[in-house]
Amino acid sequence: MTSAERTLPACPVETTLTLISDKWKVLILRDLLPGAKRFGELRRSVGPVSQKVLTSQLRQMEDSGLLVRTVYAEVPPRVEYRLTELGHSLEPILDAMRAWGEGYQAARG
């Protein structure tokens, strides 16, 4: 049992929020849904996030089992991030968030 599993709340909604509660984590998930990306690609696609914050978020998501970090033995080293099956299982949640956001924008715009 990992430390993340030991500290998860009893409420399933709160558990989900615990795993993806940060704005950057949701955007990382969005950007990795189509496939693997390198760190620099993620940094550009996610938006104005610092290297330190992005690295921290990626490590937390890896610890949670949402993504996998693969280091290729090349010079210079190449590192790719890709969603795990568990990470991909969040796609319907992101789709629902997108649909809700579009509806909200249409109603408010």
Side-chain angles (χ1 to χ4, degrees), residues 98-109:
R98 181 182 304 110
W100 188 91
E102 288 171 351
Y104 181 81
Q105 289 175 334
R108 302 289 290 191

Side-chain angles (χ1 to χ4, degrees), residues 4 16-32 39 42-43 46-69 81-83 87 90:
T16 305
L17 286 173
T18 298
L19 294 173
I20 64 168
S21 61
D22 188 277
K23 166 187 171 180
W24 302 118
K25 288 180 183 174
V26 173
L27 297 178
I28 291 166
L29 287 167
R30 175 201 67 191
D31 291 349
L32 288 178
F39 184 87
L42 268 176
R43 190 163 179 206
V46 166
V49 60
S50 71
Q51 181 172 335
K52 178 181 176 182
V53 169
L54 182 57
T55 299
S56 172
Q57 299 297 293
L58 290 167
R59 285 185 184 149
Q60 289 173 25
M61 293 173 74
E62 185 178 15
D63 289 344
S64 298
L66 299 177
L67 60 81
V68 174
R69 177 181 184 262
Y81 297 89
R82 74 175 33 90
L83 293 180
L90 289 163

